Each structure stands twice: as C-alpha cells, then as structure tokens.
Amino acid sequence: MRKPQLLSEEEIQLFRDSVTGARPMAQDKIPPARLPRNKKTAVKTSIEAEEPNLFYFSDEFEGYQPDGSIIRYVQPGEDPHLAKNLKRGDYQPGVVLDLHGLSQQQAKTELAGLLAYCQREHFNCACIVHGKGSGILARKVPNWLIQHPNVRAFHTAPTHWGRDGALLVLLKTPL
C-alpha cells in the first residue's frame, strides 16, 4: 500500500534544484542564550507579625485537663452554652488550620498567626486540625488556646470537620 504524495513530481524536482549546492552551516560554538527563568517566590509569612502573638503561649502551662475524648472549654464569664453550640455546628469556621506534620514550635507559631489573622479578618470561628497521631499536639493546642485572651470557647469538632483530630474555636471579634 503506497501513501498518496502531497507534492507533485515537478514540485519535488523544483525543491531539489533549489537546494543543490547547499552545504551545512559550521557551528560557531556559541551556546544559545538562556532566558532568565521567573523564579518562584515563596509566599513570605510575616514571622515578625506573628511574634508578638506568641507571648500568650507558654509550653509549661497545663491549665486544661481533658475529661475523656471530648475536648471542651468556655472562658470564664462567657455563656456556658457556647461549647454545646460549637458541638452542634451552630458556628461555621471561616478558616481551617492544618497542623499535621509540624513540630510543636511550628504549630505554636502557626496557631498564633491564625489567631492574629482571624482578628484582622473578623472571623469568629476557626477549625484547627491537630490530628491524633501521638497526641502531643492534641494535648498542647487546648493549653495554648486557653491562654489566649481572644478565645471564647472551643470544642471537639463535629465529624464533618475532623472529630477527635480537630477543634472548633470561637473567638472574640473586634467591634
């Protein structure tokens, strides 16, 4: 089976006549210029902005004592039903922070940044996913949260937000 020719015999002969006597070009040994790549710039998290918020968190403070697998806390002076309202899903988080794979110091810095961000953006509810794992962050995060003056209440998240590996946090918002 022969392929159909796209060019006629006359066109092919015309091409051969036009390239007769052509010789290859000599390489001039100059490499082609490389265009500078657009370097990807990492989003710079402002550690300086988060540092003032870290003073709220002490690693030695052990003010929260869990009673079972459910974690709940309401700041003194707040409505005692806030934790129950969080559990029912009356508040929807405006932002989610995932702490999986972070060290304690990184998690503390991220948590401080989240709380500052929520204040700045006027979010009154956040979800903090600490995971189950070895339970280190599961124990530390509630102790850090009760030290912060803007935390009104927190409760173990409902199933669709992470259950035992997450907390819903209710925050004070500026007026």
Side-chain angles (χ1 to χ4, degrees), residues 45-95:
T45 57
S46 178
I47 299 296
E48 299 82 26
E50 295 168 3
E51 288 298 330
N53 298 312
L54 283 176
F55 80 90
Y56 293 117
F57 305 136
S58 167
D59 288 327
E60 286 79 33
F61 182 74
E62 293 289 331
Y64 183 77
Q65 298 298 323
D67 53 347
S69 64
I70 302 296
I71 299 173
R72 70 175 75 89
Y73 169 80
V74 177
Q75 190 180 66
E78 292 287 343
D79 181 9
H81 299 293
L82 287 177
K84 185 170 83 172
N85 294 346
L86 282 168
K87 175 184 174 186
R88 276 195 316 222
D90 290 353
Y91 298 97
Q92 293 297 312
V95 64

Side-chain angles (χ1 to χ4, degrees), residues 51 54 59 102-110 137 144:
E51 288 298 330
L54 283 176
D59 288 327
L102 299 181
S103 67
Q104 284 185 44
Q105 186 60 38
Q106 290 169 329
K108 188 175 15 171
T109 303
E110 290 294 321
L137 290 179
W144 291 332

Side-chain angles (χ1 to χ4, degrees), residues 85-157:
N85 294 346
L86 282 168
K87 175 184 174 186
R88 276 195 316 222
D90 290 353
Y91 298 97
Q92 293 297 312
V95 64
V96 177
L97 174 65
D98 190 352
L99 300 175
H100 281 103
L102 299 181
S103 67
Q104 284 185 44
Q105 186 60 38
Q106 290 169 329
K108 188 175 15 171
T109 303
E110 290 294 321
L111 184 60
L114 171 82
L115 295 173
Y117 176 78
C118 287
Q119 283 298 111
R120 194 171 52 249
E121 299 297 321
H122 300 281
F123 288 126
N124 69 338
C125 187
C127 180
I128 300 169
V129 181
H130 51 70
K132 295 179 186 177
S134 61
I136 293 171
L137 290 179
R139 287 187 304 275
K140 289 291 187 180
V141 169
N143 282 311
W144 291 332
L145 287 173
I146 64 173
Q147 296 175 57
H148 201 281
N150 293 333
V151 173
R152 295 176 65 195
F154 55 83
H155 197 283
T156 300

Side-chain angles (χ1 to χ4, degrees), residues 7-60:
L7 301 175
S8 67
E9 289 296 325
E10 185 180 303
E11 292 171 322
I12 294 172
Q13 189 57 42
L14 183 61
F15 174 75
R16 287 186 178 144
D17 290 342
S18 65
V19 294
T20 303
R23 58 185 205 284
M25 291 176 59
Q27 171 64 10
D28 56 6
K29 306 290 184 198
I30 300 173
R34 291 187 183 195
L35 297 175
R37 291 185 180 184
N38 290 338
K39 292 183 179 179
K40 293 182 180 179
T41 55
V43 177
K44 186 175 182 179
T45 57
S46 178
I47 299 296
E48 299 82 26
E50 295 168 3
E51 288 298 330
N53 298 312
L54 283 176
F55 80 90
Y56 293 117
F57 305 136
S58 167
D59 288 327
E60 286 79 33

